[in-house]
Amino acid sequence: MIAVICVIMVSVFFLPILLIGAALVFAVICVIIVSIFCDADLTTLLYEKYGRNVGEELRGKVVWITGASSGIGAALAIECVKSAKIVISARRENLLEKTKEKCIEAGAKSENILVLPMDMCDFSSHQKCFQAVLDHFGRLDILINNAGRSQME
């Protein structure tokens, strides 16, 4: 009789705990497998499948990208200009012009790109540059502060 009661108590109290533990282990294994074979984490895969279309979200917006002369900033400019009007800023105007050319090669219209050379460390120029954006496009919807500053001695 006592043995039957013990078996019932173990079944009632510990079986759910074991099932929850097994479910957690299964979930962790699934996440690891997805991460290894899909070259992304589960969150990225879910956003890719069920998230919003970034191109549609940017359509008609004005996006200002600082540090757009090379690297991530230039790549952002090329992607954003597919849907949005862009302002590209950095210190080196010649590299900004190359970024603009790449944007046009990607199918953008020249009038949707404003090349605005500026030094982010020169705080007195910020208001003047912002006004230039407003004068050209009439508004600013998104600012991507990608510019960096090196510290040389």
Side-chain angles (χ1 to χ4, degrees):
M1 183 71 167
I2 293 176
V4 173
I5 293 174
C6 288
V7 169
I8 292 172
M9 286 179 60
V10 167
S11 298
V12 170
F13 293 112
F14 294 113
L15 189 60
I17 293 172
L18 290 174
L19 290 176
I20 291 171
L24 287 173
V25 168
F26 178 74
V28 169
I29 290 171
C30 287
V31 167
I32 290 170
I33 290 171
V34 166
S35 296
I36 291 171
F37 292 108
C38 296
D39 194 30
D41 64 18
L42 190 58
T43 305
T44 304
L45 292 172
L46 289 173
Y47 276 120
E48 183 178 16
K49 178 89 173 151
Y50 301 108
R52 295 181 184 164
N53 183 332
V54 175
E56 289 299 318
E57 294 290 321
L58 291 178
R59 190 157 316 285
K61 302 232 191 263
V62 178
V63 179
W64 187 357
I65 304 166
T66 64
S69 60
S70 63
I72 294 172
L76 277 169
I78 293 166
E79 287 302 313
C80 287
V81 80
K82 293 175 182 175
S83 303
K85 298 174 182 177
I86 64 168
V87 181
I88 52 177
S89 292
R91 288 175 290 137
R92 299 172 291 185
E93 186 172 4
N94 60 331
L95 292 178
L96 286 173
E97 290 296 336
K98 288 181 182 177
T99 300
K100 180 178 180 178
E101 289 172 17
K102 289 178 184 175
C103 290
I104 293 170
E105 288 171 9
K109 296 178 183 174
S110 181
E111 62 265 14
N112 289 339
I113 305 166
L114 172 62
V115 174
L116 186 61
M118 73 177 287
D119 184 355
M120 290 298 292
C121 294
D122 180 13
F123 298 119
S124 63
S125 70
H126 291 190
Q127 185 64 36
K128 180 182 74 166
C129 291
F130 179 59
Q131 191 59 50
V133 172
L134 294 179
D135 292 343
H136 189 82
F137 288 122
R139 70 180 201 276
L140 175 65
D141 298 303
I142 300 169
L143 171 64
I144 301 175
N145 279 319
N146 178 63
R149 182 185 132 213
S150 62
Q151 297 181 354
M152 299 178 148
E153 293 182 22

